[in-house]
Amino acid sequence: MSADKAGAQPPGVEIAFYHLTVTPLEQALPALLERVLARDWRAVLRAGSAERVKALDSLLWTYDPDSFLPHGSQGDPLPERQPVWLTAGDDMPNDPQVLVLVDGMDHPDPSGFVRVLDLFDGRDDLAVSAARDRWRARKARGFALTYWRQRPDGRWERAA
C-alpha cells in the first residue's frame, strides 16, 4: 500500500460506507463480496477478532446451499491465491484491490486500494457514531466518499 505524500491529494480510491439497517452483516456481506469478485478484484476483509474471522469463514462456506465464496484465512494454504482473505490483523497476502472493514475496524492509509467498503450496524448507536468519525476523518483527507443505505427491501441505495 502506498503512503500519501505530505499535502498530496489522495488517489482515486472510493470509500463506500454501508449503513446496515434492514439486514445483518452476515446476510449483506456475501452479496457485496460477490460483486467484488465479479469485477475480478481481490479483497481483504478485516474483522474485529479471530473469533469473528472464524465465524465469517464458516458463513462464506455455508450462506448459500448452491454456492460459496472462495476465501482463506490464517493457516490456509496458498494465501497469496485467495480471492478473499479474512483477517483480524494487518496481513494482506493476496494483493487486494478492495478492503472490507467490519466490526468498526479501520485502516490508517486506505489510499492503496481501489475501493474500501466500510460496513456498520445502523442499529448500534456506538457503531454509527464511530462510522461518522471515520467519515469525517476521511473527508478531511480528501477521499472520495459514498454513503449507501438500505431500503426497506434490503437493497442498497446511494444517498451521498
Side-chain angles (χ1 to χ4, degrees):
M1 302 302 120
S2 62
D4 285 344
K5 292 179 176 65
Q9 189 71 0
V13 61
E14 176 191 341
I15 301 176
F17 285 79
Y18 285 86
H19 191 161
L20 297 161
T21 56
V22 178
T23 58
L25 173 75
E26 293 78 7
Q27 190 175 347
L29 179 64
L32 292 171
L33 288 174
E34 285 173 350
R35 289 182 187 163
V36 167
L37 297 182
R39 290 184 167 193
D40 290 325
W41 286 340
R42 292 176 178 266
V44 64
L45 183 147
R46 189 168 181 207
S49 69
E51 294 78 22
R52 180 70 148 164
V53 167
K54 188 173 181 177
L56 292 174
D57 177 45
S58 178
L59 168 74
L60 296 182
W61 287 114
T62 61
Y63 77 97
D64 182 345
D66 298 323
S67 182
F68 71 94
L69 277 161
H71 66 280
S73 60
Q74 187 175 16
D76 287 342
L78 304 172
E80 68 281 357
R81 295 182 60 192
Q82 300 297 333
V84 176
W85 185 254
L86 309 176
T87 184
D90 294 328
D91 51 319
M92 297 185 202
N94 63 340
D95 193 27
Q97 292 84 23
V98 177
L99 172 62
V100 180
L101 300 167
V102 300
D103 304 333
M105 299 306 295
D106 203 353
H107 190 279
D109 183 16
S111 64
F113 298 95
V114 174
R115 278 195 89 197
V116 175
L117 311 181
D118 188 323
L119 287 73
F120 63 99
D121 185 350
R123 296 165 291 197
D124 179 337
D125 291 340
L126 291 175
V128 172
S129 178
R132 286 183 181 137
D133 290 344
R134 291 190 302 277
W135 175 282
R136 282 191 290 273
R138 291 172 178 160
K139 185 174 185 174
R141 289 185 57 201
F143 286 106
L145 305 176
T146 58
Y147 171 77
W148 297 84
R149 64 178 169 211
Q150 286 187 302
R151 298 187 329 198
D153 64 3
R155 297 176 74 184
W156 294 105
E157 174 179 70
R158 185 174 173 170

